[in-house]
């Protein structure tokens, strides 16, 4: 399964178009927008108090020169007030931005999930679910970090830089020009150098991850390793990877050494140069006093630190804008149509089904016709079996019945009405499917059975389990109905999962039932129990049985033989077995001879 790290997130170019898309996030803030703007107000107050701090510190130092204790006490008190105000403003700024962000992202998460589960099957057939899930997780996380911290810090640093330069210009234009000539350049160089070193660190991490993959693969396949006596091969593979890690890590350490030397020499050298020039101007009388010099040095430090941080924050905002675009790409995907008709049918379906010259190609492979002019009828209560080689289009018929995809040509009628005239939820609510590979949800057995009818009573759930031949094994568990089935039902056997799925279908009480090779992967004993449950399930409803094992469909009212997307044979078991050189007869002879 693909996983995405924050560093892997692509950046978006910041322009009016991308920013306009990003600002759509405010639509999901709903009645929380005011918190963002109030947070900005507190951000301005925080920045203003931060800018006042160096000035007051300078004034405090000047009190030493003037030997003015009264003024020193006043300035010190003023500094404490500034610090208290800054603490209060910072609290409200952080609280309001977090509050705004969490509420907005909560609405986005829900809207995203709501839209995702309403998207058509054609969307999911072209997307990897694991990758989709990881991407959503990484993008939302990026938005969370950006709106909680990064935007506020970016604006704060920007205000400090602009405000700092204005104040510096008032203190000493000459000193400001000198500072402008060296400090920003060195700060930007430090950022670029630091980013280069982080990339090197990421290379080391990636190589370590690759070495862990080797360990994981070796231990998972330890039987094969020992059976082939290939311990030496795995050791060599691991040793080669570790050697690569050492080389990269040493190179990275070398660059970190260069970076430390750069910081000591250049960054602190800049501070020394600014201080020296400031003292020179003070001695010449071009700077009023020591206090102004101290203020200047503090403002220079603020600006240098802000330059160092703002470039990284800008990159984070670019990533956030890119993340926003990708989130809205998913939100803009068009959900499947609930109603294709202006007056959708919501009545209970009886179960008469008719395919009239239906042709279909999957959207992702439009050049390949999966079904070609398929026609057949299934009356209420009949059992219709569909057989044929793999890729013939058997499961596609089930998908079209459930309206997972729209047909290209022809028509599908249910109770004499077009399948597109029914409300989608009502249509699928009258159908149920028991697939070959049953996927259960990671809750209890009771919750999984009740998925067929969420408002079912305990008595109804118990009866469905009994009819599905599932009650005996359920009662054998200590927790009975409250037994946790594990992820995808991993704690249950294949036969047990099938019977839970049958119980779920029984509880739903559908008019049309689809059995997609429901017993093909079971052992003989499980197949017998499941087959008995299926016979009960099929009573009084139209059933479509997709099967490889022909022994399970001998009693079907009609058997359709699909080959190459066309129905090549149609009839009962006896009728088809009597066809000379028929596909069904050949398949039947092959299976029963082997048995």
């Amino acid at each position: 399964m693909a996983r995405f790290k924050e560093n892997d997130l692509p950046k978006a170019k910041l322009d009016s178009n991308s920013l306009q898309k990003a600002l759509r996030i405010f639509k999901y803030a709903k009645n929380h927008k005011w918190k963002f703007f109030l947070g900005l107000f507190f951000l301005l107050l925080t920045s203003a108090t931060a800018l006042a701090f160096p000035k007051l510190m300078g004034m405090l130092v000047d009190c030493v020169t003037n030997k003015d204790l009264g003024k020193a006490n006043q300035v010190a008190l003023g500094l404490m007030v500034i610090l208290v105000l800054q603490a209060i403003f910072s609290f409200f700024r952080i609280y309001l931005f977090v509050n705004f962000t969490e509420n907005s992202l909560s609405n986005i998460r829900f809207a995203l999930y709501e839209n995702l589960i309403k998207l058509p099957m054609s969307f999911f057939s072209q997307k990897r679910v694991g990758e989709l899930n990881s991407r959503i997780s990484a993008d939302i996380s990026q938005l969370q970090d950006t709106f909680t911290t990064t935007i506020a810090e970016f604006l704060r640093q920007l205000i400090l830089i602009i405000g700092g330069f204005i104040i510096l210009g008032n203190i000493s234009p000459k000193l400001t020009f000198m500072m402008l000539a060296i400090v920003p350049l060195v700060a930007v160089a430090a950022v670029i150098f630091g980013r280069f070193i982080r990339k090197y660190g990421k290379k080391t991490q990636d190589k370590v991850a690759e070495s862990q993959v080797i360990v994981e693969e070796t231990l998972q396949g330890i039987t094969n390793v020992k059976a082939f006596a290939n311990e030496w091969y795995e050791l060599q593979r691991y040793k080669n990877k570790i050697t690569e890690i050492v080389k990269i890590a040493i190179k990275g350490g070398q660059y970190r050494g260069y970076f430390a030397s750069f910081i000591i020499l250049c960054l602190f050298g800049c501070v020394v140069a600014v201080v020296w020039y400031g003292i020179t101007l003070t001695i010449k009388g071009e700077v009023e006093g020591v206090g102004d010099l101290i203020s200047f040095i503090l403002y220079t430090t603020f600006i240098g630190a802000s330059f160092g941080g703002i470039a990284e924050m800008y990159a984070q905002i670019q990533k956030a804008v890119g993340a926003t675009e990708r989130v809205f790409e998913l939100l803009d995907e068009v959900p499947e149509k609930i109603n294709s008709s202006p007056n959708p049918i919501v009545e209970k379906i009886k179960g008469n089904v008719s395919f009239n010259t239906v042709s279909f190609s999957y959207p992702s492979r439009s050049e390949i016709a999966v079904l070609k002019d398929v026609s057949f009828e299934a009356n209420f209560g009949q059992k219709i079996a569909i057989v044929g080689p793999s890729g013939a289009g058997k499961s596609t018929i089930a998908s079209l019945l459930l309206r997972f995809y729209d047909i290209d040509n022809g028509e599908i009628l249910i109770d004499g009405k077009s399948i597109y005239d029914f409300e989608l939820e009502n249509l699928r609510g009258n159908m149920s499917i028991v697939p070959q590979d049953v996927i259960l949800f990671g809750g209890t057995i009771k919750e999984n059975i009740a998925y067929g009818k969420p408002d079912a009573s305990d008595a109804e759930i118990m009866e469905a389990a009994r009819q599905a031949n599932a009650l005996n094994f359920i009662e054998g568990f200590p927790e009975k109905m409250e037994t946790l089935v594990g992820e995808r039902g991993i704690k249950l056997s294949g036969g047990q999962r099938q019977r839970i799925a049958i119980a779920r279908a029984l509880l739903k009480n559908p008019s049309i039932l689809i059995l997609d090779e429901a017993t093909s992967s079971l052992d003989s004993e499980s197949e017998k129990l499941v087959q008995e449950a299926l016979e009960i399930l099929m009573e009084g409803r139209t059933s479509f049985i997709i099967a490889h094992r022909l022994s399970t469909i001998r009693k079907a009212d009609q058997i359709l033989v699909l080959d190459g997307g066309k129905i090549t044979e149609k009839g009962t078991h006896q009728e088809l077995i009597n066809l000379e050189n028929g596909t069904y007869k050949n398949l039947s002879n092959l299976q029963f001879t082997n048995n």
Side-chain angles (χ1 to χ4, degrees), residues 509-523:
N509 191 26
S511 301
I512 297 170
L513 177 67
I514 300 164
L515 306 176
D516 193 351
E517 301 183 22
T519 62
S520 64
S521 60
L522 303 179
D523 58 72

Side-chain angles (χ1 to χ4, degrees), residues 494-508:
Q496 288 170 338
R497 288 198 297 271
Q498 287 288 12
R499 281 175 275 168
I500 295 293
I502 292 166
R504 187 161 63 190
L506 277 163
L507 193 62
K508 189 177 182 182

Side-chain angles (χ1 to χ4, degrees), residues 165 174-186 270 274:
F165 275 131
K174 281 187 179 180
L175 203 50
T176 303
F177 283 125
M178 189 256 189
M179 190 273 286
L180 268 174
I182 55 172
V183 173
L185 290 175
V186 173
C270 286
V274 170

Side-chain angles (χ1 to χ4, degrees), residues 248-383:
I248 293 170
I250 290 172
K251 197 76 174 172
Q254 187 180 336
Y255 285 125
R256 281 199 300 276
Y258 291 149
F259 185 65
S261 302
F262 171 82
I263 291 293
I264 292 166
L265 190 62
C266 295
L267 214 54
F268 289 108
C270 286
V271 174
V272 171
V274 170
V275 171
W276 167 79
Y277 191 57
I279 289 169
T280 304
L281 293 177
T282 305
I283 291 168
K284 289 179 179 178
E286 293 183 34
V287 174
E288 287 185 9
V290 178
D292 278 350
L293 181 60
I294 295 295
S295 295
F296 195 96
I297 292 166
L298 287 173
Y299 280 121
T300 302
T301 308
F302 274 32
I303 290 170
S306 297
F307 263 113
I310 203 163
E312 194 62 37
M313 289 174 198
Y314 183 77
Q316 292 296 326
I317 290 170
Q318 281 182 302
K319 287 180 184 177
V321 170
T324 308
E325 286 180 353
R326 289 187 297 279
V327 166
F328 284 117
E329 276 174 18
L330 290 176
L331 283 168
D332 291 339
E333 288 283 347
V334 181
E336 57 186 342
K337 290 181 182 177
I338 302 299
N339 301 321
S340 299
S341 168
N343 298 304
I345 301 167
V346 292
E347 64 192 40
K348 175 74 175 171
I349 288 172
K350 186 178 180 184
N352 296 307
V353 178
S354 177
F355 272 55
N356 297 327
T357 60
V358 171
S359 296
F360 173 74
S361 301
Y362 283 101
S364 56
R365 305 190 304 272
S366 56
E367 71 283 357
I368 302 171
V370 181
L371 295 181
K372 304 166 188 172
D373 297 328
V374 170
S375 297
F376 65 85
E377 287 190 6
N379 296 321
F380 167 71
Q382 282 191 328
K383 299 181 183 69

Side-chain angles (χ1 to χ4, degrees), residues 477-494:
F477 292 129
E479 294 87 6
K480 297 182 170 49
M481 280 286 181
E482 298 303 320
T483 302
L484 293 172
V485 302
E487 189 178 356
R488 297 168 66 91
I490 197 168
K491 292 184 180 179
L492 303 180
S493 70

